[in-house]
Amino acid sequence: MKKTVLTCVTAALVMGLAGSGYAAEPTVDAQQAELNALKARLAVIEKRIKDQEVKQKKTDETVKKNKASELKFYGDARIRSINSGDGYSFEQRVRLNMEKQINKDAFIRVRAISMNENELGTTGTDDANNKIDNAYMQFNNLYGDKNSSLKFGRFGHSFGTTGYWSSAGSLGMYDGIEVTTGKVVKISTGFGDWGAAKDNSTTSDKNKTTLNKLEKNVFLKLGYKPNRDTTLQAWHIRETNADASPVDYEVTGLGFKTNVGKNLNLAGDYSKNVAIDGDPTGLFFTLTYGDADESTPHSYEARLYYADVDKGNVPGTLNKSINIPCNDVKGPGLSLHYVVTEGVLAEFLTGFNMEKKSTGIDNDNYYRFQVSTKF
């Protein structure tokens, strides 16, 4: 707009000068007075433009702030077919999310699982199939520290870099509190109860503890990025009600993830549970090529896995994001992921030539097909 105003002023000056050829030559004082008047009018126009720009900026910021604080609803649905040696079973899952930004440093998130791997064509009517696995509030930028946060309520945890032990995005059900801080080394610590993360078929013992699950506990996680392409993590979680729990957990783990080539990355985790006899360990690697981004149609990804996990190392099967067997097993796996269209992901996963570590007997091959979508 400023360029337009200057063009108009220049044209006016040119026309004025052209017209002066037919009139008496103005004096120097008259020319200076006219120039000063033009400058004064231009200054007024520029001020109006600047005031309008300031108003527009405030309007844009208000719109952006209002949009960010809106109540957001979204979800995902998945249909899968699994064959682990007993024939194919078909299951469905639907999850619904709600988020609300309270202010720039605080938000609330709730996720409800309305169908939790139900047999295809059925709906769940009890807590085993219908549950709220995330319901928490998070505060960031504590005391002006942009690297800090406080989370409390029900949420999920990621221990390790592969997701074989647990992944926050897979299942929440951790009732507790977590505090995070640190710029160079990211430190997270807290306490809570993970007993709600139980299998649909799992019952409780006489002490009302879920079988083979980690319950009341304290934890510590340390994260470090030595460079842009590499992430390291060390973690420790200890069950605090071990006397009442049928299977005890005090697990320490180390993990890494690094780029090893173009579109190729390697991740690995090692952990040991020293709370029970034998100190069961877990070793898991993933080699990933590509990136199946659900917002990018026809993007794809392939992963190779290797699992060497003792019985009693992991607390359960629901908390992980690795969708091949990785509890009491040893052997390789493979998965292929393809974005059919925006928001629709098709996947094939298999675990093959695996053995059951506790017995040494060969496992049946595992096959899994699934299609998921976001809405």
Side-chain angles (χ1 to χ4, degrees):
M1 186 174 288
K2 289 184 178 181
K3 185 181 292 185
T4 303
V5 173
L6 292 174
T7 302
C8 293
V9 171
T10 302
L13 290 173
V14 171
M15 292 177 66
L17 293 174
S20 66
Y22 302 96
E25 187 70 24
T27 64
V28 173
D29 290 341
Q31 290 179 345
Q32 186 62 47
E34 185 176 357
L35 182 59
N36 289 340
L38 287 171
K39 287 181 178 180
R41 283 188 291 184
L42 182 60
V44 171
I45 293 173
E46 288 181 334
K47 185 177 184 305
R48 289 177 180 174
I49 294 173
K50 186 175 181 179
D51 290 343
Q52 185 61 37
E53 288 176 344
V54 171
K55 290 180 180 179
Q56 186 62 46
K57 184 177 180 181
K58 289 182 178 179
T59 300
D60 292 343
E61 289 177 349
T62 301
V63 171
K64 183 178 180 180
K65 183 177 180 181
N66 291 338
K67 186 174 182 180
S69 62
E70 290 178 353
L71 196 60
K72 298 178 182 178
F73 294 95
Y74 58 96
D76 63 84
R78 183 177 73 186
I79 295 177
R80 72 182 188 183
S81 175
I82 298 175
N83 185 349
S84 55
D86 300 325
Y88 284 97
S89 62
F90 295 86
E91 300 170 336
Q92 57 190 347
R93 182 187 73 183
V94 177
R95 301 186 298 190
L96 305 174
N97 295 264
M98 184 277 288
E99 288 186 12
K100 170 67 175 178
Q101 193 76 30
I102 301 172
N103 55 48
K104 66 176 183 178
D105 295 323
F107 67 90
I108 296 174
R109 181 180 178 226
V110 178
R111 184 172 72 180
I113 304 178
S114 60
M115 283 190 274
N116 185 30
E117 316 306 359
N118 297 43
E119 183 182 351
L120 200 62
T122 66
T123 57
T125 58
D126 55 30
D127 185 63
N129 294 291
N130 297 269
K131 61 187 68 179
I132 295 178
D133 76 325
N134 278 268
Y136 65 89
M137 181 177 290
Q138 181 167 326
F139 297 90
N140 300 319
N141 196 30
L142 303 178
Y143 304 105
D145 178 6
K146 65 180 181 180
N147 299 299
S148 66
S149 66
L150 168 65
K151 180 190 297 186
F152 65 89
R154 172 170 286 190
F155 48 91
H157 272 297
S158 293
F159 287 105
T161 59
T162 64
Y164 102 91
W165 208 87
S166 74
S167 172
S170 181
L171 185 73
M173 308 305 291
Y174 186 93
D175 300 316
I177 186 170
E178 178 180 24
V179 179
T180 300
T181 189
K183 183 177 181 180
V184 177
V185 177
K186 186 176 181 180
I187 304 172
S188 296
T189 186
F191 60 88
D193 189 338
W194 223 340
K198 58 184 179 180
D199 295 325
N200 294 350
S201 59
T202 298
T203 58
S204 298
D205 65 6
K206 63 181 180 179
N207 295 315
K208 298 188 183 301
T209 56
T210 54
L211 301 180
N212 197 31
K213 294 293 181 291
L214 190 158
E215 297 181 330
K216 294 181 177 64
N217 62 84
V218 294
F219 67 88
L220 175 68
K221 290 190 282 188
L222 303 177
Y224 175 58
K225 288 183 68 68
N227 55 60
R228 184 179 62 182
D229 298 326
T230 303
T231 299
L232 305 175
Q233 188 190 81
W235 53 276
H236 181 81
I237 185 167
R238 181 175 67 85
E239 195 169 31
T240 58
N241 66 330
D243 291 341
S245 179
V247 179
D248 302 333
Y249 291 91
E250 184 174 352
V251 186
T252 301
L254 296 172
F256 75 92
K257 185 176 182 179
T258 185
N259 293 334
V260 293
K262 186 177 181 181
N263 299 322
L264 187 67
N265 68 71
L266 175 67
D269 281 317
Y270 172 81
S271 68
K272 177 186 287 189
N273 180 14
V274 299
I276 59 179
D277 292 340
D279 298 342
T281 61
L283 185 66
F284 200 92
F285 291 99
T286 64
L287 181 64
T288 304
Y289 176 78
D291 181 16
D293 185 348
E294 291 183 59
S295 63
T296 306
H298 310 304
S299 59
Y300 59 89
E301 187 174 318
R303 301 177 192 171
L304 286 174
Y305 307 94
Y306 181 76
D308 187 350
V309 184
D310 293 334
K311 182 179 181 180
N313 174 256
V314 296
T317 60
L318 299 178
N319 305 56
K320 62 187 181 67
S321 62
I322 297 296
N323 292 319
I324 65 167
C326 51
N327 181 24
D328 191 17
V329 295
K330 181 177 181 180
L334 168 71
S335 66
L336 304 173
H337 315 258
Y338 180 70
V339 180
V340 181
T341 186
E342 184 174 354
V344 179
L345 177 65
E347 299 172 283
F348 165 72
L349 306 99
T350 181
F352 53 94
N353 293 332
M354 283 185 161
E355 68 176 43
K356 190 176 182 67
K357 283 207 69 179
S358 57
T359 63
I361 299 174
D362 290 341
N363 277 344
D364 291 323
N365 288 346
Y366 176 91
Y367 301 101
R368 175 169 172 165
F369 303 88
Q370 60 189 39
V371 177
S372 56
T373 182
K374 294 183 177 180
F375 54 88

